Amino acid sequence: MTTDRTEAFSDGVFAIAATLLILNVHLPSFDQGDVGQQLRNSWPAYLTYAISFLQIGIVWVNHHHLLELISRVDRGLMFLNLLLLVFIGFVPFPTGLVALAFQAGRYESLACIAYGVLMAAMGAAFLMIWAYLDRHGDLLKHAFSGGQIRQFMLRTSAGSAAYLTSAAISIVSP
């Protein structure tokens, strides 16, 4: 199968997930006092929106690069791509959780752990795609040396490890 439908579906999921992030950013109420103070109190929502939008954007760029290397997809690759998209679609939830926790001043560690684990899971899904392509080189547009794909895998693993480390650190310092 060509990559066209996989690319189109993936781009749709990325776009929807990025768009849903804004739902965690609320307008101030003119009936509830100082609008400036309400806006200042909403800083966690602005910050988490920006961070998560950039995260989704970075993953989209990497995903685009990945699909540029692939000449065709098979059922296994489609399911692994779907796993990655499940995690992408879930990004708005822990993003909102982190914003809410920091606004409330409670459960910050729990929220940061959820966010870090999700980001690590996205990296793991990407890693599984690279590992699959390493075993199914016929799906690629041209042959890669094992070292090239392993380099992609190493970078992906480093990102996942950094997210798990940050999730662990957030237990004591969110």
Coordinates of all heavy atoms in Angstrom, one line a residue, residues 80 83-84 87 117-131 156-157 159-160:
L80 N 1.5 0.0 14.0 CA 2.4 0.7 14.8 C 2.2 2.2 14.7 O 2.3 2.9 15.7 CB 3.9 0.3 14.4 CG 4.3 -1.1 14.8 CD1 5.6 -1.5 14.2 CD2 4.3 -1.3 16.3
L83 N -0.6 3.1 16.8 CA -0.2 3.2 18.2 C 0.4 4.6 18.5 O 0.0 5.2 19.6 CB 0.8 2.1 18.6 CG 1.3 2.1 20.0 CD1 0.2 1.8 21.0 CD2 2.4 1.1 20.1
L84 N 1.2 5.1 17.7 CA 1.8 6.4 17.9 C 0.7 7.4 17.9 O 0.7 8.3 18.7 CB 2.8 6.7 16.8 CG 3.4 8.1 16.7 CD1 4.2 8.4 18.0 CD2 4.2 8.3 15.5
F87 N -1.2 7.9 21.1 CA -0.6 8.7 22.1 C -0.6 10.2 21.7 O -0.8 11.0 22.6 CB 0.9 8.3 22.3 CG 1.0 6.9 22.9 CD1 1.8 5.9 22.3 CD2 0.3 6.5 24.0 CE1 2.0 4.7 22.8 CE2 0.4 5.2 24.5 CZ 1.2 4.3 23.9
V117 N 5.2 10.3 31.3 CA 5.0 8.9 30.9 C 4.4 8.8 29.5 O 4.8 8.0 28.6 CB 4.2 8.1 31.9 CG1 3.7 6.8 31.3 CG2 5.0 7.9 33.2
L118 N 3.5 9.7 29.2 CA 2.9 9.8 27.9 C 3.9 10.1 26.8 O 4.0 9.5 25.7 CB 1.7 10.8 27.8 CG 1.2 11.0 26.4 CD1 0.5 9.7 25.9 CD2 0.2 12.2 26.3
M119 N 4.7 11.1 27.1 CA 5.8 11.5 26.1 C 6.8 10.3 25.9 O 7.2 10.1 24.8 CB 6.5 12.7 26.6 CG 5.7 14.0 26.6 SD 5.1 14.4 24.9 CE 3.6 15.3 25.3
A120 N 7.1 9.6 27.0 CA 8.0 8.5 26.8 C 7.3 7.4 26.0 O 7.9 6.7 25.2 CB 8.4 7.9 28.2
A121 N 6.0 7.2 26.2 CA 5.2 6.2 25.4 C 5.2 6.6 23.9 O 5.3 5.7 23.0 CB 3.8 6.1 25.9
M122 N 5.1 7.9 23.6 CA 5.2 8.3 22.2 C 6.5 7.9 21.6 O 6.6 7.4 20.5 CB 5.0 9.8 22.1 CG 3.5 10.2 22.0 SD 3.2 11.9 21.5 CE 4.4 12.9 22.3
G123 N 7.6 8.2 22.4 CA 8.9 7.8 21.9 C 9.1 6.3 21.7 O 9.7 5.9 20.8
A124 N 8.5 5.5 22.6 CA 8.5 4.1 22.5 C 7.8 3.6 21.3 O 8.3 2.7 20.6 CB 7.9 3.4 23.8
A125 N 6.7 4.2 20.9 CA 6.0 3.9 19.7 C 6.8 4.2 18.5 O 6.9 3.4 17.5 CB 4.6 4.6 19.7
F126 N 7.5 5.4 18.5 CA 8.4 5.7 17.4 C 9.5 4.7 17.3 O 9.9 4.3 16.2 CB 8.9 7.1 17.6 CG 8.6 8.1 16.5 CD1 8.0 9.3 16.8 CD2 9.0 7.8 15.2 CE1 7.7 10.2 15.8 CE2 8.8 8.7 14.2 CZ 8.1 9.9 14.5
L127 N 10.0 4.3 18.4 CA 11.1 3.3 18.5 C 10.6 2.0 17.9 O 11.4 1.4 17.1 CB 11.6 3.1 19.9 CG 12.8 2.3 20.1 CD1 14.0 2.8 19.4 CD2 13.1 2.1 21.6
M128 N 9.4 1.6 18.2 CA 8.9 0.4 17.6 C 8.7 0.5 16.1 O 9.0 -0.5 15.4 CB 7.5 0.1 18.3 CG 7.7 -0.3 19.7 SD 6.2 -0.4 20.7 CE 5.1 -1.5 19.8
I129 N 8.4 1.7 15.6 CA 8.3 1.9 14.2 C 9.7 1.7 13.5 O 9.8 1.0 12.5 CB 7.7 3.2 13.8 CG1 6.2 3.2 14.2 CG2 7.8 3.6 12.3 CD1 5.5 4.6 14.1
W130 N 10.7 2.4 14.1 CA 12.0 2.2 13.6 C 12.5 0.8 13.6 O 13.2 0.3 12.7 CB 13.0 3.2 14.4 CG 12.9 4.6 14.0 CD1 12.6 5.6 14.8 CD2 13.2 5.2 12.7 NE1 12.6 6.8 14.0 CE2 13.0 6.5 12.7 CE3 13.6 4.6 11.4 CZ2 13.1 7.4 11.7 CZ3 13.7 5.5 10.4 CH2 13.5 6.8 10.5
A131 N 12.3 0.1 14.7 CA 12.7 -1.3 14.8 C 12.0 -2.1 13.8 O 12.6 -3.0 13.2 CB 12.4 -1.8 16.2
T156 N 15.8 8.4 19.4 CA 14.4 8.2 19.9 C 14.5 7.7 21.4 O 13.7 8.1 22.2 CB 13.6 7.3 19.0 OG1 13.6 7.8 17.7 CG2 12.2 7.1 19.5
S157 N 15.3 6.7 21.6 CA 15.5 6.1 23.0 C 15.9 7.2 24.0 O 15.5 7.2 25.1 CB 16.5 5.0 22.9 OG 16.0 3.9 22.1
G159 N 15.4 10.4 23.9 CA 14.2 11.2 24.2 C 13.3 10.6 25.2 O 12.9 11.2 26.2
S160 N 13.0 9.3 25.0 CA 12.1 8.6 25.9 C 12.7 8.5 27.3 O 12.0 8.6 28.3 CB 11.8 7.2 25.4 OG 10.9 7.3 24.3

